[in-house]
Amino acid sequence: MKYYLIVGEASGDLHASRLMASLKEYDPDARFRFFGGDLMQQVGGVRVKHYKDLAYMGFIPVLLHLPTIFKNLEKCKKDIVDWHPDVVILVDYPGFNLKIAKFVHKHTGIPVYYYISPKIWAWKEWRIRAIKRDVNEMFSILPFEVPFYEKKHNYKIHYVGNPTAEEVCGFRQRYAETKEEFCHRHSLDEKPIIAILSGSRKQEIKDNLPKMLEAAGHFEDYQMVVAGAPSISDAYYEPFLKDTGARIVRNATYELLSHATAALVTSGTATLETALFDVRRWSAMRRPSRASSALPSSILSRSILSLWSTLLPSRR
């Protein structure tokens, strides 16, 4: 079968790459074409566009890049029609993907599957109308979304388990590096670590990282370590990190969380990952998000947020 996948950020790239690998086990003749990232490319197939060229957020950045956004939408629509896959698989990223779903539903006979539901339970619940109209099957990774869709909106979905939980569990079982070894490998000192996960998009980092560094910088007995986003260069981080004493690590977010005393986190997936590592965390966003702050609590059915100042002394 021919599969066309669309993701718009780093977490989607990770989850879609795992999905592609699983599909290949069931369908040895699987062919992939996608808007995605490096992890999907490693699985195989043709990458039409990298997600880093799609990731705009915030009113002003979106407004400034409208011509590029429209161009990417048209490129994606045309490519789907020309390649004519057996199925289109959308991964989160609703601002872009729901427009693609509408087009595919209206102009082709290709089924649309949605893997990782838009968080319409947190905001823009009116999107349910488009989902019910344009999406053939919805595959959820959050258990509380099942009653939300099925009982509140009479739309049957499939709960398929949470890949983040599986990924973190597998990593923790394999990982044996000590904190001293981790710090030596990344040229860090021996102070307790405040991990800073400022997002995977440039606008997220620009909006949140300066304030996160300012807040964490008050704790002089700790070292600030930023988890670099896969698609963002060190050069982009440099102006924010200058004169702060913060360091950046690459391709080691799970390792960083394994040894962190506390964390400042922005995005929804990262808050869940941090909770699964038992790291005391503080969600920090200039644009407060119910989804990002409530996601781990919703899944675990308990609050995991506490006052920042009360957390640091207890885990060193």
Side-chain angles (χ1 to χ4, degrees):
M1 286 181 61
K2 295 162 63 177
Y3 304 87
Y4 202 106
L5 298 94
I6 306 171
V7 311
E9 56 192 355
S11 60
D13 182 36
L14 173 62
H15 297 324
S17 69
R18 299 291 182 93
L19 174 62
M20 290 164 64
S22 295
L23 287 171
K24 288 178 72 172
E25 293 181 6
Y26 288 94
D27 180 8
D29 298 322
R31 296 167 58 193
F32 301 110
R33 194 172 177 91
F34 53 87
F35 277 44
D38 299 335
L39 296 176
M40 296 170 72
Q41 188 70 77
Q42 290 174 15
V43 178
V46 177
R47 185 173 68 202
V48 181
K49 199 82 172 177
H50 198 289
Y51 70 78
K52 67 183 179 182
D53 299 320
L54 307 176
Y56 302 109
M57 64 176 294
F59 178 75
I60 298 300
V62 168
L63 188 64
L64 292 175
H65 291 91
L66 274 178
T68 300
I69 293 170
F70 288 139
K71 183 178 179 180
N72 286 334
L73 278 167
E74 293 307 311
K75 180 181 181 67
C76 185
K77 292 173 184 177
K78 183 178 186 303
D79 199 56
I80 290 172
V81 171
D82 291 345
W83 198 55
H84 199 80
D86 295 293
V87 63
V88 172
I89 302 175
L90 311 174
V91 183
D92 202 359
Y93 199 50
F96 189 94
N97 276 336
L98 286 176
K99 293 179 177 63
I100 295 299
K102 181 179 180 180
F103 171 83
V104 173
H105 173 78
K106 185 175 181 180
H107 297 284
T108 78
I110 303 169
V112 175
Y113 290 178
Y114 218 121
Y115 177 55
I116 304 182
S117 165
K119 298 176 181 64
I120 63 170
W121 44 267
W123 65 78
K124 298 184 179 180
E125 191 169 342
W126 48 264
R127 281 175 164 167
I128 185 62
R129 296 192 294 271
I131 291 172
K132 293 175 75 171
R133 181 190 66 223
D134 301 324
V135 176
N136 296 84
E137 301 286 348
M138 175 70 74
F139 298 88
S140 167
I141 65 170
L142 300 174
F144 61 84
E145 288 182 338
V146 176
F148 171 81
Y149 275 106
E150 297 189 351
K151 294 183 179 179
K152 185 173 183 179
H153 292 291
N154 194 32
Y155 180 69
K156 187 170 179 58
I157 67 171
H158 308 275
Y159 173 63
V160 294
N162 195 292
T164 300
E166 296 172 5
E167 289 152 11
V168 171
C169 180
F171 174 85
R172 296 187 72 176
Q173 290 175 348
R174 298 188 305 270
Y175 186 59
E177 187 177 39
T178 66
K179 178 175 179 288
E180 290 72 22
E181 291 168 340
F182 172 80
C183 289
H184 178 74
R185 181 160 62 92
H186 292 282
S187 301
L188 306 176
D189 59 40
E190 295 302 317
K191 291 181 179 180
I193 294 171
I194 297 175
I196 298 179
L197 282 66
S198 55
S200 61
R201 304 172 184 173
K202 287 184 176 180
Q203 193 63 40
E204 277 184 307
I205 295 166
K206 179 181 178 182
D207 286 346
N208 296 298
L209 184 55
K211 292 297 183 182
M212 298 170 84
L213 291 169
E214 180 183 352
H218 289 290
F219 300 90
E220 297 179 356
D221 293 335
Y222 295 77
Q223 58 180 323
M224 298 179 290
V225 184
V226 177
S231 64
I232 308 298
S233 68
D234 285 352
Y236 187 79
Y237 284 100
E238 286 174 4
F240 304 112
L241 302 183
K242 186 178 180 181
D243 300 325
T244 66
R247 306 287 186 85
I248 186 170
V249 299
R250 289 280 179 186
N251 303 312
T253 300
Y254 283 4
E255 291 91 335
L256 173 60
L257 291 175
S258 294
H259 301 296
T261 297
L264 276 169
V265 190
T266 54
S267 62
T269 300
T271 60
L272 176 57
E273 290 172 329
T274 307
L276 291 169
F277 275 98
D278 298 323
V279 178
R280 297 166 174 85
R281 69 157 176 91
W282 184 265
S283 296
M285 295 191 75
R286 283 184 60 188
R287 298 182 179 90
S289 161
R290 174 186 161 192
S292 66
S293 61
L295 181 55
S297 301
S298 298
I299 295 174
L300 300 175
S301 299
R302 60 183 177 88
S303 175
I304 63 169
L305 295 178
S306 300
L307 290 175
W308 176 255
S309 59
T310 66
L311 296 178
L312 291 172
S314 61
R315 180 178 175 184
R316 288 178 178 265

